[in-house]
Amino acid sequence: MSQTKGDIGLIGLAVMGQNLILNMADHGFTVVAFNRSVEKVHAFLANEAKGKSILGAESIKDLVSKLKTPRRVMMLVKAGDAVDNFIDQLVPLMEKGDIIIDGGNSEYQDSERRTKALAAKGIRFVGAGVSGGEEGARYGPSMMPGGNKEAWPYIKDIFQGICAKADNQPCCDWVGSDGAGHFVKMVHNGIEYGDMQLIGEVYHLMLSMGITQDEMAETFAEWNKGELDSFLIDITKDILNYKDADGQYLLPKIRDTAGQKGTGKWTAISALNYGVPVTLIGEAVFSRCLSALKAERTHASKVLPGPTEKWSGDKKQFLEDIRQALYASKIVSYAQGFMLLREAALVHKWDLDYGSIALMWRGGCIIRSVFLGQIKNAFDKDPNLNSLLLAPFFLDAIKKAQKGWRNVVSTATRIGVPTPALATALAFYDGYRSERLPANMLQAQRDYFGAHTYELLGKEGKFVHTNWTGHGGNVSASTYDA
């Protein structure tokens, strides 16, 4: 009797890898598990995987030999060299048409490179963004596969079988070619950074108001019943409610320095590279950098002066203003994220379905929220929508939120509470709605000191230079740029 062959192999038995394997087995797929430390494979088979349709592999060669053709191997390992090392071990053992999937947080440029390099060898590569953390991996993540589209028919049933569902629709679909899957996941993580920073600033404002932590928890619980309904608002309520073994709230005991693994930074760098003003995510990244300067901030707090004014006013009304500011800023964050997706799609010629991407984020992932359905509706009605801010639903929401939003940012400034994400969201909104910006002054300055030229209104496309001082010359610059 022939041995059962695996539907898919998975390399990497950290918690995410183990949970994804168990998820696959629960959905009727036979999985071959491998880890660089083979002892971990044995321990997994003897415990969590016991009695399930999960096979163990003693080596990469053993893993490949136990798979059905075309062979499908998914890696959940640290991004970078580890991915390339496993690919180098797999390729000599695989045949034309076999599939390698990278489910880690790889940079999209690496996925682009790997897709092309492996295609030349007849191997189909997939760079798949996987979101949802440990729980998502176990019970249904959001999945964003991209790369060699020829692989999609062979992994579709597995991915759409194990992913989260929203309104009975899978939170997974083919994203696009080359590095598209990991680019979309990167933008997802950037929006996640923005959402988390916004909530942190709201928490800081609540502290400045002097309201108790249980009141904060009640407020977030109430907000989660309405238009702010989301995973991050929900867990914030849980965090605020959590008490340590001594009966005291745990949150105030946590050191106020935030870590980061790089995907938010990659989003900000990509925004600069593509020339897209993703300002909120950039501020979220820099806010984490500022938080890391704990010793310097502690010293500065004793030296640098600030306003003496304390918050005062109608608590109920100001909390409503904060809610409106949070909602409006969140809309801006997603609007900026989709602007970045649009520009990258133009550059790379990716045929991104923005409504489908919004659906992928409605379940299983960290930024899942009720208003993602409205984003899908907006792009369904107008696939060429320039900005979510212009969609009727979000335009109406911003109109309603604007007064409270402005009050929160101005109040925070007066009382000295830093709100970089809330404030930059408002600044972006005001900039985006401005027919005229002061960039004409910038162009004049650039032409004055560097002869970079400028265009005149009504004569767009014709670049001219002015000899501003009378002795600067009439030749424009073609090399120096600033």
Side-chain angles (χ1 to χ4, degrees), residues 20 23-24 27 29 139-141 143 158-165:
L20 207 62
N23 186 356
M24 290 175 178
H27 285 85
F29 301 105
Y139 300 108
M143 306 184 78
I158 298 175
F159 275 32
Q160 291 194 338
I162 67 171
C163 73
K165 310 295 186 294

Side-chain angles (χ1 to χ4, degrees), residues 59-129:
S59 64
I60 293 289
K61 186 176 181 179
D62 188 29
L63 169 75
V64 173
S65 72
K66 289 180 175 177
L67 293 172
K68 298 173 184 174
T69 56
R71 300 171 186 87
R72 294 163 285 197
V73 178
M74 185 171 185
M75 299 173 289
L76 276 174
V77 298
K78 187 176 180 181
D81 291 342
V83 176
D84 286 321
N85 289 338
F86 277 116
I87 288 174
D88 289 343
Q89 294 176 61
L90 284 164
V91 168
L93 303 170
M94 301 184 89
E95 298 175 354
K96 188 175 181 180
D98 286 348
I99 298 161
I100 297 176
I101 307 159
D102 174 16
N105 267 335
S106 289
E107 291 194 67
Y108 75 95
Q109 298 99 325
D110 286 338
S111 293
E112 195 167 28
R113 167 178 59 81
R114 290 164 184 152
T115 302
K116 289 180 169 66
L118 289 173
K121 299 177 181 179
I123 306 295
R124 300 158 176 168
F125 179 81
V126 174

Side-chain angles (χ1 to χ4, degrees), residues 3-35 38 40-58 62-63 66-67 137-138 162:
Q3 185 185 13
T4 301
K5 290 274 189 176
D7 296 301
I8 187 168
L10 195 141
I11 298 172
L13 292 184
V15 177
M16 281 284 288
Q18 290 190 19
N19 282 357
L20 207 62
I21 290 172
L22 294 171
N23 186 356
M24 290 175 178
D26 287 348
H27 285 85
F29 301 105
T30 299
V31 191
V32 184
F34 176 73
N35 194 75
V38 180
K40 203 161 190 174
V41 177
H42 297 157
F44 181 52
L45 293 175
N47 294 285
E48 296 90 347
K50 191 173 184 179
K52 297 183 179 291
S53 56
I54 299 169
L55 310 173
E58 300 285 321
D62 188 29
L63 169 75
K66 289 180 175 177
L67 293 172
R138 182 66 184 88
I162 67 171

Side-chain angles (χ1 to χ4, degrees), residues 228-398:
L228 281 173
D229 177 5
S230 65
F231 173 75
L232 285 170
I233 295 290
D234 191 37
I235 69 166
T236 300
K237 170 258 298 177
D238 292 343
I239 290 166
L240 287 163
N241 275 323
Y242 192 87
K243 292 184 178 178
D244 210 349
D246 60 5
Q248 301 298 309
Y249 286 116
L250 175 60
L251 183 60
K253 301 177 185 178
I254 297 175
R255 191 168 185 260
D256 57 319
T257 57
Q260 53 183 315
K261 290 189 174 180
T263 45
K265 179 178 73 174
W266 295 347
T267 309
I269 291 170
S270 292
L272 290 169
N273 287 337
Y274 291 110
V276 180
V278 184
T279 53
L280 197 152
I281 293 168
E283 284 292 352
V285 174
F286 285 128
S287 291
R288 294 195 187 193
C289 297
L290 182 58
S291 78
L293 304 178
K294 177 66 174 176
E296 291 182 43
R297 289 190 292 111
T298 299
H299 171 71
S301 70
K302 298 176 175 62
V303 178
L304 297 179
T308 56
E309 182 180 346
K310 302 297 182 185
W311 181 84
S312 62
D314 183 327
K315 180 171 71 175
K316 184 178 178 181
Q317 180 57 55
F318 194 60
L319 283 174
E320 173 57 17
D321 287 350
I322 291 175
R323 187 189 71 81
Q324 295 282 15
L326 177 57
Y327 187 47
S329 299
K330 187 180 174 77
I331 291 170
V332 167
S333 181
Y334 282 75
Q336 291 183 353
F338 276 93
M339 287 171 70
L340 180 56
L341 290 175
R342 182 188 66 193
E343 184 61 27
L346 286 172
V347 171
H348 294 276
K349 296 180 172 57
W350 294 333
D351 186 20
L352 299 185
D353 184 332
Y354 304 110
S356 177
I357 290 168
L359 178 62
M360 288 182 224
W361 293 347
R362 282 191 65 195
C365 68
I366 305 304
I367 64 170
R368 60 185 182 266
S369 65
V370 70
F371 88 172
L372 280 161
Q374 294 295 342
I375 294 178
K376 184 180 187 309
N377 292 341
F379 283 112
D380 284 349
K381 289 175 183 174
D382 183 1
N384 298 313
L385 184 67
N386 284 331
S387 172
L388 284 173
L389 296 174
L390 303 176
F393 176 86
F394 295 109
L395 179 59
D396 184 59
I398 292 284

